[in-house]
Amino acid sequence: MKPLMRTDLIEVGYMNPVRWLHIADTYADLGLLPRGFSLRGFLYQPDAKADLSWLVAAAALLGLTGAIALYIHRVNRRLARALAASKQAEQALRHMAQHDSLTGLANRALFADRLEQALAGARRDQQHLALLFIDLDGFKPVNDQFGHGVGDLLLKEVAQRLLRGVRHSDSVARIGGDEFIVLLRHVGSAHAALAMGDKLCAALRPGYQIDGHHIDISASIGIAVYPEHGADQAALSKHADSAMYAAKKAGRDRGALYQAAG
């Protein structure tokens, strides 16, 4: 092998890039390699400079990935804020549709739904519930003397006194003007319902200080009890309203149980 390798000219193991290029050209002449074949990386070069060009591509890819991630994060935040605002708007609209705009109490529609649910539960569990119709005595003169602004403030204070006077399980609604209605979900008897009516009359009786004016009013409360005075919403409402007028006729500032005619 030595005569062929010409060790007298080239030491064994010596690598010369020019010789390898010549060999590559020879292979190309024979059709075994393409012309101009690159030997880059073919020969080991311990002191060769590292090729860091891939780092540039990697940094560009990383930057692009980060930019996309940041964009997606910002879009998600905007979507989350938009969804939260939409949910709040929906809740506000639902609240407006179900509550009295002045007092914040349930309106007629929401109260009717609560009463229907309470009646279904009372039928199932064979319990009593009571409906109290409340009409303020002497409210119209307040509007006439002090104006509707003072009247509105008075109605708001009445609503708060009613809420403080009932249990958490009960419901209070304003059904128009100076008329309120209370649902007592669980009462032991008609006597207990009448006692609650007297309690609410007492809560509404003390004078009110509204916008620098001292105002005295009272309330007439009509009471109908399920199932004695009605088995459905229409009958109970009609009979509680009738009892309220009976309370007014009896002298106002009091509660009255429904009494069937005759």
Side-chain angles (χ1 to χ4, degrees), residues 51-108:
D51 183 7
L52 302 180
S53 59
W54 65 273
L55 286 177
V56 177
L61 180 60
L62 182 61
L64 179 61
T65 303
I68 294 174
L70 180 60
Y71 173 75
I72 293 174
H73 174 69
R74 289 179 175 175
V75 169
N76 286 339
R77 287 186 60 185
R78 286 197 294 268
L79 286 175
R81 287 196 295 267
L83 288 173
S86 176
K87 187 175 181 180
Q88 290 177 354
E90 181 182 355
Q91 291 174 344
L93 287 174
R94 185 182 296 114
H95 187 274
M96 290 173 60
Q98 297 178 333
H99 293 80
D100 175 52
S101 60
L102 176 64
T103 62
L105 297 177
N107 61 15
R108 187 186 295 270

Side-chain angles (χ1 to χ4, degrees), residues 171-203:
S171 294
V172 182
R174 179 181 176 228
I175 56 176
D178 60 337
E179 295 178 331
F180 297 83
I181 188 169
V182 174
L183 166 63
L184 305 179
R185 289 182 177 272
H186 305 291
V187 291
S189 63
H191 177 74
L194 181 59
M196 176 59 80
D198 292 338
K199 176 185 175 182
L200 293 179
C201 280

Side-chain angles (χ1 to χ4, degrees), residues 110-111 113-122 125 127-132 166-172 182-188 226:
L110 178 58
F111 187 86
D113 183 63
R114 290 178 178 176
L115 177 55
E116 199 59 44
Q117 292 182 28
L119 282 169
D125 301 330
Q127 293 181 336
H128 298 271
L129 63 77
L131 205 59
L132 282 65
V166 300
R167 300 162 300 187
H168 182 71
S169 60
D170 300 328
S171 294
V172 182
V182 174
L183 166 63
L184 305 179
R185 289 182 177 272
H186 305 291
V187 291
Y226 170 87

Side-chain angles (χ1 to χ4, degrees), residues 126-129 225-231 236:
Q126 296 184 346
Q127 293 181 336
H128 298 271
L129 63 77
V225 178
Y226 170 87
E228 292 91 328
H229 304 146
L236 286 172

